[in-house]
Amino acid sequence: MYRYPYVTGTSVIGIKYKDGILMAADMGGSYGSTLRYKSVERMKPIGKHSLLGASGEISDFQELLRYLDELILYDNMWDDGNSLGPKEVHSYLTRVMYNRRNKFNPLWNSLVLGGVKKGQKFLGTVVSMIGVHFEDNHVATGFGNHLARPILRDEWHENLSFEDGVKLLEKCMLVLLYRDRSAINKLQIAKITEEGVTISPPYSLKTFWGFSAFKNPTVGAEGSW
Amino acid sequence: MDLNAAHSMGTTIIGVTYDGGVILGADSRTSTGLYVANRASDKITQLTDNVYVCRSGSAADSQIVSDYVRYFLHQHTIQLGQPATVKVAANLVRLISYNNKNMLETGLIVGGWDKYEGGKIYGIPLGGTIIEQPFAIGGSGSSYLYGFFDQAWREGMTKDEAEQLVVKAVSLAIARDGASGGVVRTVIINSEGVTRNFYPGDTLPRWHEELEPQNSLLDILNTSSPEPMSIQ
């Protein structure tokens, strides 16, 4: 009845900042416990105003991108000067996910949709394959909910600068790298503003292991781990 | 022993790009449970003149998928008036794999050469994800090759270097994966055309704890020192 996912992506994090939205995701495609693919782009621009990040089954994400391609194409063909904004795209995605869920044939994804149109910033998630959706100033999928959101609840504030926003996302991604088994050290950060979408080239973060407790974990308790 | 078990190609399959084209490689074992139903299978199947696919997983599923894709690509080529691109072939494979994901159990590697993009490799694992890669590995034997490729793969190899890498890799996987075995087959695809190669066991290197094959113990006894079969 329900099928199961094969190639999966892990957390996506999104935050609102001064000029728009910042989103981060690593480039891993896991196959069960194997870190099989290490160059999967899990964030893609949609039209002129939106950015979609996905975790979960990659083949379903690829199919969603095809649906969205068609949606944007038909919208452009009206040639009426109007273009689908992030709210509309988010609504479309919610309907698709919920309708598939009702037919017991879900798209096995958790999605983050962010964008800016006419100065209005939008950041929403469609949480998992059951169609639950909401908007917030900071959102995450998967492990990100447990590890990143607490950090964001404490340190996010209105009108973050680009630099502060990137540093905040990197702080979250580093924790995920330490503590999420499916995370890999190769990530991208994407920015969306009124001007458009930019996705950074892939890069890696430095990790820290220099605690004396790490070097000598069993001092004072021989035999422990 | 279940001789009516599904024919599965445990398998090791590999696709590698090099400076000028692609090399596809595979083992040749098809098993029915624990019995080896075919020890000399050809898992590298033609889709068009310039695009081939490596098949793994269920033998039946991979054969029917490649048959359908060959059929559609043939018609597409006639309509287009020129050879199909590797990307189109790979996307057709993806379409069938994705839309029948509940019923199929096959992982495929599509590789070929076209005049627009040169040599390209596309991996299409279970579920129907499509992913373009400089090299791809698949099948049960591939588990033993992730570390090997992490260390041995380089961008911009020559044709001979790339083929040697593929043969070495399949041979290493055969050494450790019970579901892979037999001979190593390779297919080289570039602007000049397609070349098939065949590497039987005796041409492959010896790995850890493997010995040189002999005709008989008698040969060892005749050539070696006085007491090879001494009483312990």
Side-chain angles (χ1 to χ4, degrees):
Chain A
M1 199 188 261
Y2 270 118
R3 35 190 182 82
Y4 24 81
Y6 293 102
V7 181
T8 55
T10 185
S11 323
V12 179
I13 331 176
I15 57 175
K16 281 189 192 165
Y17 81 108
K18 180 161 62 75
D19 303 326
I21 310 290
L22 283 167
M23 206 186 287
D26 73 11
M27 300 190 76
S30 298
Y31 191 76
S33 57
T34 305
L35 305 172
R36 191 168 180 181
Y37 302 107
K38 295 191 180 178
S39 296
V40 183
E41 288 204 25
R42 297 196 291 114
M43 297 182 295
K44 293 282 185 180
I46 311 292
K48 286 182 284 208
H49 305 283
S50 315
L51 177 67
L52 176 64
S55 63
E57 170 67 47
I58 301 296
S59 66
D60 285 345
F61 174 53
Q62 290 178 340
E63 190 75 354
L64 264 170
L65 290 174
R66 280 164 203 269
Y67 286 145
L68 287 167
D69 244 349
E70 198 182 45
L71 182 75
I72 301 292
L73 181 70
Y74 275 83
D75 184 50
N76 287 340
M77 276 160 61
W78 285 107
D79 200 21
D80 58 4
N82 201 13
S83 51
L84 288 171
K87 280 189 222 246
E88 290 83 57
V89 177
H90 182 255
S91 177
Y92 174 80
L93 284 171
T94 308
R95 291 299 99 217
V96 168
M97 300 295 272
Y98 184 63
N99 271 282
R100 291 284 299 253
R101 165 265 196 197
N102 284 339
K103 294 189 281 194
F104 286 97
N105 180 211
L107 289 160
W108 208 287
N109 297 108
S110 294
L111 307 168
V112 173
L113 197 289
V116 193
K117 193 178 170 198
K118 300 229 173 58
Q120 280 235 333
K121 291 180 278 205
F122 175 88
L123 182 62
T125 60
V126 188
V127 175
S128 87
M129 43 216 239
I130 59 177
V132 170
H133 60 284
F134 58 88
E135 300 166 49
D136 208 333
N137 293 321
H138 46 82
V139 296
T141 68
F143 253 74
N145 277 310
H146 299 105
L147 298 174
R149 302 250 0 247
I151 301 176
L152 295 169
R153 274 180 216 121
D154 268 349
E155 300 188 24
W156 183 90
H157 57 85
E158 202 79 54
N159 290 319
L160 277 164
S161 69
F162 174 73
E163 287 74 27
D164 285 343
V166 169
K167 280 194 212 141
L168 188 53
L169 280 179
E170 285 178 341
K171 187 172 182 179
C172 296
M173 292 302 280
L174 195 56
V175 173
L176 288 169
L177 183 59
Y178 287 139
R179 299 294 183 173
D180 179 1
R181 237 176 64 163
S182 357
I184 63 163
N185 195 0
K186 191 171 173 195
L187 63 141
Q188 292 176 298
I189 296 199
K191 158 170 83 90
I192 179 156
T193 62
E194 191 72 53
E195 282 82 61
V197 180
T198 343
I199 306 182
S200 77
Y203 72 103
S204 294
L205 289 169
K206 284 194 187 166
T207 54
F208 182 70
W209 303 88
F211 297 105
S212 60
F214 282 13
K215 292 182 197 163
N216 291 304
T218 59
V219 150
E222 290 303 321
S224 80
W225 47 272
Chain B
M1 191 183 305
D2 183 10
L3 290 169
N4 292 315
H7 278 45
S8 153
M9 300 166 320
T11 313
T12 306
I13 50 173
I14 302 181
V16 146
T17 57
Y18 73 92
D19 166 37
V22 300
I23 318 256
L24 300 177
D27 73 311
S28 70
R29 177 172 288 186
T30 302
S31 25
T32 324
L34 291 169
Y35 175 66
V36 178
N38 186 352
R39 65 179 170 105
S41 340
D42 183 6
K43 302 182 189 183
I44 310 177
T45 301
Q46 186 184 28
L47 294 179
T48 68
D49 289 341
N50 56 318
V51 182
Y52 280 66
V53 61
C54 295
R55 302 179 291 109
S56 78
S58 155
D61 288 352
S62 65
Q63 280 172 8
I64 199 73
V65 169
S66 57
D67 283 349
Y68 269 113
V69 173
R70 192 180 312 116
Y71 169 68
F72 289 128
L73 273 177
H74 185 215
Q75 293 177 69
H76 169 66
T77 306
I78 291 169
Q79 209 172 30
L80 195 64
Q82 59 184 35
T85 58
V86 189
K87 189 183 251 189
V88 163
N91 268 285
L92 260 176
V93 175
R94 178 210 79 95
L95 199 61
I96 298 180
S97 290
Y98 180 78
N99 288 324
N100 296 290
K101 64 159 81 190
N102 294 331
M103 293 180 284
L104 294 173
E105 192 200 293
T106 173
L108 302 149
I109 297 177
V110 176
W113 185 96
D114 61 56
K115 68 183 186 196
Y116 298 104
E117 305 249 34
K120 284 286 182 197
I121 294 284
Y122 292 87
I124 303 162
L126 261 49
T129 312
I130 182 168
I131 180 140
E132 202 240 294
Q133 301 169 92
F135 72 90
I137 56 177
S140 56
S142 68
S143 306
Y144 307 96
L145 297 177
Y146 284 97
F148 174 69
F149 272 90
D150 276 347
Q151 189 240 28
W153 160 262
R154 283 179 297 113
E155 198 74 51
M157 285 185 284
T158 65
K159 174 161 74 90
D160 291 328
E161 284 174 333
E163 199 188 9
Q164 281 323 297
L165 185 70
V166 168
V167 172
K168 187 173 178 182
V170 178
S171 146
L172 279 167
I174 288 174
R176 293 294 184 175
D177 179 31
S180 300
V183 305
V184 179
R185 294 191 196 276
T186 63
V187 171
I188 308 174
I189 313 174
N190 51 36
S191 57
E192 283 143 45
V194 177
T195 317
R196 266 194 176 279
N197 286 322
F198 171 82
Y199 296 89
D202 39 300
T203 62
L204 302 171
R206 221 62 47 224
W207 302 119
H208 182 49
E209 292 187 302
E210 290 180 348
L211 300 170
E212 277 307 308
Q214 311 281 345
N215 281 325
S216 165
L217 172 67
L218 304 172
D219 294 339
I220 307 174
L221 292 175
N222 289 334
T223 51
S224 79
S225 58
E227 305 293 332
M229 292 200 35
S230 52
I231 296 168
Q232 299 291 310

